[in-house]
Amino acid sequence: MKSKIAIAALILLPFSGQYALAEEAVTEEKSSLAVSAELGLLFKTGNAKSGDIKAGLNIKHEEGRWLNLLAFNALAKKLEKEGEDSFESTDNKWNILGQTNYSLEEGGKNYLYGNLFYQQDKFSSFSYQTSASMGWGRHWWETETSSFFVDIGPGIKYDVLRAVPAIAPTPAIPENSESAVIVQAQALYTRQINEFVEFKQYFVVKQAFESGKNSVYKSETSLTTKLIDSLQFKFAFRIDYDTEVEAGFENTNTETSVTLVYSF
């Protein structure tokens, strides 16, 4: 009797193993989490001393029809004051972006989204900028080597303009805020050039409906090269454009960065 039970167990063992693997695969399909962090450093000594730090964190979570994205970026730069043994900040900004997508059909191309953004930039015309929008998006195509996503929807933008001290004969301008109804559009194109190199192009437009209100345009182009499975080398070029800024500030700001990206 015992031998028959043992034989039956041996016969069923491969099937139970296959069932366990299938169950594990289903679990993996339902939920996945990807986290990556990037860091870039530049220090100069000699005739001039300075230090630059760029850091970022990206989190992507998928479960069923839901896709959640969270991105944090920070940049700081300090430069030695001329003739003094001290440093002053010449760049200091950070931002956080969160987005949630819900697919309208299982494995389908259309989705609904909600988007939140917040940014502080110590050396811009704004103390901080924030926006929120929701709408419709579509995966226009997605293959093994490339993909193209676009979403668009209405939203609201809230900016706090920095106070400007009095400089004769111009009087001081106090800190004030501005809100605007916007339409936000985003597009992301990715291309896997080969096994090791990936190209990305990202655009976002936050267009204010009312004339004289600030509209925002952003673009980021990046090229990522895989060094090892979990470590990548990233080159990125970013353009930020605000249509309405205070006197003495530039409308266009650019940023070129080289960082290492570690994927967990």
Side-chain angles (χ1 to χ4, degrees):
M1 182 66 179
K2 290 183 179 179
S3 62
K4 289 181 180 180
I5 294 174
I7 292 169
L10 289 172
I11 292 172
L12 291 172
L13 184 60
F15 295 97
S16 63
Q18 289 175 13
Y19 175 76
L21 290 172
E23 187 177 39
E24 184 179 351
V26 170
T27 302
E28 288 179 356
E29 287 178 2
K30 286 184 177 178
S31 179
S32 67
L33 178 67
V35 181
S36 65
E38 63 178 279
L39 181 65
L41 302 172
L42 173 62
F43 296 100
K44 290 176 62 179
T45 61
N47 295 324
K49 297 179 182 178
S50 67
D52 300 63
I53 298 176
K54 178 176 172 59
L57 178 67
N58 290 276
I59 301 173
K60 178 181 179 181
H61 176 251
E62 292 183 82
E63 185 166 358
R65 295 189 183 187
W66 293 95
L67 169 63
N68 303 298
L69 304 168
L70 183 67
F72 171 80
N73 290 283
L75 175 66
K77 180 175 182 178
K78 289 199 171 185
L79 182 67
E80 185 182 36
K81 291 183 179 180
E82 189 174 350
E84 299 181 26
D85 191 20
S86 61
F87 290 81
E88 64 177 344
S89 293
T90 57
D91 204 351
N92 189 325
K93 66 179 179 181
W94 64 273
N95 63 64
I96 186 166
L97 169 68
Q99 179 159 326
T100 294
N101 297 349
Y102 177 75
S103 180
L104 294 176
E105 58 273 339
E106 195 69 40
K109 293 186 175 183
N110 298 290
Y111 61 90
L112 300 177
Y113 83 90
N115 179 284
L116 293 171
F117 176 79
Y118 179 88
Q119 175 175 284
Q120 281 191 5
D121 187 347
K122 188 177 177 181
F123 293 91
S124 77
S125 178
F126 305 93
S127 293
Y128 66 85
Q129 295 174 280
T130 185
S131 66
S133 75
M134 57 190 302
W136 166 83
R138 180 176 173 84
H139 305 175
W140 289 98
W141 79 75
E142 189 170 12
T143 67
E144 291 184 358
T145 58
S146 67
S147 63
F148 184 56
F149 297 69
V150 177
D151 54 50
I152 186 169
I156 188 167
K157 184 171 64 65
Y158 183 78
D159 298 338
V160 174
L161 286 80
R162 193 177 304 281
V164 179
I167 302 176
T170 306
I173 301 175
E175 182 178 88
N176 63 92
S177 61
E178 175 185 278
S179 60
V181 177
I182 61 170
V183 59
Q184 176 173 299
Q186 297 182 111
L188 174 64
Y189 171 74
T190 63
R191 174 75 179 178
Q192 193 71 40
I193 298 173
N194 57 41
E195 184 182 355
F196 303 100
V197 181
E198 182 183 56
F199 170 83
K200 284 186 180 181
Q201 178 62 60
Y202 170 70
F203 291 106
V204 60
V205 174
K206 300 176 184 181
Q207 180 66 49
F209 284 105
E210 190 177 342
S211 177
K213 298 282 188 175
N214 182 48
S215 295
V216 177
Y217 305 89
K218 296 178 184 287
S219 168
E220 182 174 297
T221 306
S222 66
L223 200 63
T224 305
T225 302
K226 183 185 291 186
L227 302 177
I228 57 176
D229 285 343
S230 58
L231 189 64
Q232 299 169 315
F233 177 84
K234 179 181 176 182
F235 172 83
F237 178 69
R238 183 183 179 94
I239 302 174
D240 292 343
Y241 181 79
D242 289 276
T243 58
E244 307 292 332
V245 297
E246 297 288 348
F249 292 94
E250 297 289 338
N251 295 86
T252 305
N253 290 280
T254 64
E255 178 187 311
T256 304
S257 63
V258 176
T259 56
L260 287 176
V261 181
Y262 182 81
S263 301
F264 298 91

